Amino acid sequence: MTTASPRRAAILGGNRIPFARQFGPYANASNQDMFTAALEGLVARYGLAGERLGEVVGGAVIKHARDFNLTREAVLGSSLAPETTAYDVQQACGTGLENAILVSNKIKLGQIESGIAGGVDTASDAPIMVTEKLRRKLLKINRQKTTVDMAKSALAIRPGDIGIETPANTEPRTGLSMGEHMAITAKKWGITREAQDELAALSHQNLAKAYDNGFFDDLMTSYLGLAKDQNLRADSTVEKLAKLKPVFGKGEGATMTAGNSTPLTDGASAVLLGSEEWAAEHNLTVQAYLVDGEVAAVDYVHGDEGLLMAPAYAVPRLLARQGLSLQDFDYYEIHEAFASTVLSTMKAWEDEEFCTQRLGLEKPLGSIDRSKLNVNGSSLAAGHPFAATGGRIVASLAKMLHEKGPGSRGLISICAAGGQGVVAILEGA
Amino acid sequence: MAFNYGQFVSGGIGKQLATTLGLPRPTKLRRHKVGGSLIPGEVLVAGHGEAPVAERVRHLLSDAGVKVATSPSTSVAGVVLDLTAVETPADLETLRGVVGPALKTLAPTGRVIVIGRPPESATSVAQAAARRAVEGIVRSIGKEMRGGGTANTVLVAEGADAGVDATVRFLLSGRSAYVSAQVFHVAKPVGDVAAPADWDKPLAGKVAVVTGAARGIGAAIADTLARDGATIIAVDMPQAGGPLAEVANRLGGTALQLDVTAEDAGAKIVEHAQARHGGFDIVVHNAGITRDKLLANTEADRWDSVLQVNLLSILRMNEALIPAINDGGHIVNVSSIAGIAGNRGQTNYAASKAGVIGMTQSLAADKAVLKKGITVNAVAPGFIETEMTAKVPFATREVGRLMNSLSQGGQPVDVAETIGFFAWDANRAVTGNTVRVCGQMLMGA
């Protein structure tokens, strides 16, 4: 079934700051600093200073309590009109793409004419929490009215209560890290070390080539002295990657290394969307349309599905709704959380058993042309500041599709913590 | 903060010391203020013989609400002398008789403007000598003046008197604070001379492309052109994206990140300007780099990169920009004092900046350019206070600051103001000129 939209939501451009490795050049930059910088670059590129947009939707996966209104604060610190509304969304690594879908939906419905979707994350400027026991005891002290009662409550603190916790990349319900989860899935799908290293090397080579071609000249704004993604290793090869020791999984079968897994990263991205009328009024070129999006979740806790396999479910649902096959695309952007994520997902789509039994399809979705996959690099090379990845991909793909021409199509697939996956289709203009 | 001689001698013990020792004490220059008067005080206007230009200047002054003085007996803020009718060097007595006494009572930050005709078009040897003499006199007056005053020559071609107004206006105003001992050549206008509705917004409705706009002089150019009413397309390297965005957002313009040496840089600017702003009227080629080394030690890549960025890129971009720029537009190139006087360790830089002067002259006379009514001019900054010059070692920096008639470095805005003047539609009579913004630096011709 194809639902006719009242009107189309256009992607008009994007901007991000170069992504930095954890404790790198952005070590002292907050989420608000980075997202404001990403917004400012976008405002400058599209001449939006003083403009009231329909809304700005941002968010971060790792957030301080003080940043409850992170996106609104970033808007107020930007050159956009202060009358521009804003809100935060958090859907793990799917945040940025989910935000683009949200903004596009409002545009399609005619609720807004323009909007910015983005996200930011810092792995460096992380919040620190005290232990749960200490937190409860401190709150109790704070509740007391008299000094004596406060002192009494304070005496209840034991040495063992004292300690700090930083946010961990761990699934609360399984206690396993994302990498450990992925290692299970990679093993199940028989993803080899060589295939992963090959994908990782290609990601670096593609990203390096994109920089050389000036692809990012109108997609990026330098920040704190960084003008390129810090994680990029232009001279990366399969041979070099083969030397790294596995970090996830155990024993003989361990294949996942620091080279074929994304590093912890700081960064921010933002995408400008609008109605076609608004774009024309502002002399902006429509690069692509956000056609449709879909989100799926899998039961990785009690069921036996892999934590990062949800996009494998979301894509066929989206294809069915749009009446498209997996092969109907000019570009595929599959977020490289780990090289093995991309490879497992593609293998699942080729697998008869998976497609018929788990997806309920008549036959496998089939293969995708690897020469159309992540052609300007992806997260393994660029890095992956969780909520910022969606904006990076949407802006890059929109540009690629615009260059390819009207009617060209691109598919985005992003896996997220909590067993979720956000996917979307873009069409070139 | 680094020691600054100018500030040290402006008050307290520094002032005493400088006065006692007879050291130079720089005056705070009069700079353009939005809403301010053209010149604070009366202007003495005089001439030799018929003095047709003096008459124009009187009208101009009364239109601007400036009182015209007829004798130097009272203190005046400026002197404009029309020597277009001199026949022999003996006629120069008029200048001595008028400007001499006026200098005694000239107010601080005063202006001396002497208007003549080009010696090349003289009808007699004696007339050529007299006309050429004017330049020498004015350069000397510039060195004699105190209190932040400037002296400049304006040579008006025969039959081109109508085009002189913009130049006189610029030279009397605070916009020319750091311009002294220069010769402005006024020729027949390349298009219709159009006075702005508001002299505080002479660039209203114009779109200006400024390369190298992220920092320093480029950012000041963007600020100044925007203040005067232009919409700014701020261009710089992707590596300067952060500060470039700041400039564009501050001015409500757009940022365009590109490498000016890229093959398609000109085409990209045109595409951006047309798609986003419906075209462009002004181009300021400001982007530039230095890679200093003595010639003996200069390797090919240092040589090449400077010539590529500072000169070859402009030639290449202009191939795309000139056909696309709106008729009656203005191109302004940034040269350097090093391109005139040369500088030790800067053969590559001097080559590029002297080349800019040659390019400016030739392009201004180009048929296609003339047909579109475009002016092409250049500014050659002297010692300008920027982040770059702040890093120069103390002694060198102070010598640079003081080796000029105004005993101080210029500000980025001073360079920007001259560029702004070249971009006025009121100025279509000055083209192919290179004007130094150097406070009459002792270096160079």
Side-chain angles (χ1 to χ4, degrees), chain B residues 1-381:
Chain B
M1 219 189 98
F3 175 77
N4 183 323
Y5 174 84
Q7 279 174 8
F8 176 67
V9 299
S10 69
I13 189 166
K15 182 178 171 179
Q16 279 177 16
L17 207 65
T19 315
T20 316
L21 298 174
L23 297 172
R25 286 213 306 124
T27 307
K28 193 173 187 308
L29 301 183
R30 169 168 62 91
R31 293 192 166 87
H32 174 71
K33 279 197 195 82
V34 175
S37 62
L38 180 62
I39 183 165
E42 296 181 17
V43 173
L44 172 65
V45 182
H48 179 80
E50 261 180 51
V53 179
E55 198 46 39
R56 288 198 68 86
V57 173
R58 283 190 198 99
H59 279 289
L60 181 157
L61 289 171
S62 70
D63 283 354
V66 176
K67 212 168 159 202
V68 178
T70 45
S71 103
S73 56
T74 53
S75 173
V76 291
V79 182
V80 180
L81 184 66
D82 180 356
L83 290 186
T84 53
V86 292
E87 290 295 338
T88 98
D91 295 341
L92 298 170
E93 162 58 19
T94 306
L95 183 143
R96 191 208 58 79
V98 173
V99 182
L103 282 175
K104 285 184 187 163
T105 56
L106 194 67
T109 72
R111 297 286 189 267
V112 173
I113 303 170
V114 181
I115 299 165
R117 297 256 187 245
E120 300 77 24
S121 63
T123 50
S124 72
V125 175
Q127 193 186 42
R131 287 181 176 186
R132 189 63 178 79
V134 169
E135 202 183 313
I137 302 166
V138 176
R139 285 186 197 279
S140 304
I141 292 172
K143 294 187 182 190
E144 288 182 8
M145 285 174 82
R146 291 289 172 264
T150 66
N152 289 284
T153 306
V154 181
L155 298 182
V156 188
E158 215 78 48
D161 294 356
V164 83
D165 297 11
T167 307
V168 171
R169 213 171 228 288
F170 169 70
L171 288 173
L172 289 174
S173 76
R175 295 178 194 265
S176 63
Y178 202 60
V179 177
S180 193
Q182 298 305 294
V183 182
F184 289 75
H185 297 270
V186 175
K188 286 218 172 94
V190 295
D192 290 342
V193 173
D198 176 1
W199 274 106
D200 270 337
K201 295 275 177 205
L203 304 178
K206 303 293 172 186
V207 176
V209 177
V210 181
T211 69
R215 299 188 182 87
I217 291 176
I221 294 166
D223 283 340
T224 305
L225 300 188
R227 180 205 65 195
D228 285 353
T231 301
I232 303 298
I233 299 172
V235 180
D236 215 311
M237 294 286 282
Q239 287 82 346
L244 183 71
E246 223 177 285
V247 171
N249 289 343
R250 175 168 79 219
L251 307 175
T254 54
L256 176 60
Q257 302 188 148
L258 55 81
D259 178 349
V260 290
T261 64
E263 206 64 53
D264 60 351
K268 279 198 166 153
I269 292 172
V270 170
E271 189 193 325
H272 179 100
Q274 288 179 341
R276 308 286 289 287
H277 304 279
F280 60 102
D281 309 281
I282 299 159
V283 177
V284 183
H285 288 297
N286 164 73
I289 58 166
T290 55
R291 294 285 181 274
D292 298 356
K293 274 262 161 130
L294 295 177
L295 180 59
N297 304 325
T298 299
E299 283 156 7
D301 61 332
R302 274 176 181 273
W303 182 264
D304 184 54
S305 60
V306 170
L307 281 164
Q308 283 294 342
V309 176
N310 298 4
L311 184 57
L312 286 159
S313 75
I314 307 179
L315 291 168
R316 209 177 301 118
M317 283 190 286
N318 278 347
E319 286 175 25
L321 296 174
I322 289 168
I325 192 171
N326 291 337
D327 284 3
H330 305 272
I331 296 173
V332 189
N333 303 310
V334 177
S335 176
S336 164
I337 197 83
I340 296 167
N343 203 11
R344 186 180 150 87
Q346 288 198 316
T347 46
N348 49 1
Y349 187 71
S352 69
K353 293 301 184 179
V356 164
I357 297 173
M359 173 183 71
T360 301
Q361 285 171 339
S362 174
L363 195 59
D366 180 84
K367 273 195 188 124
V369 167
L370 285 171
K371 199 172 166 219
K372 292 193 78 169
I374 301 166
T375 69
V376 186
N377 291 289
V379 293

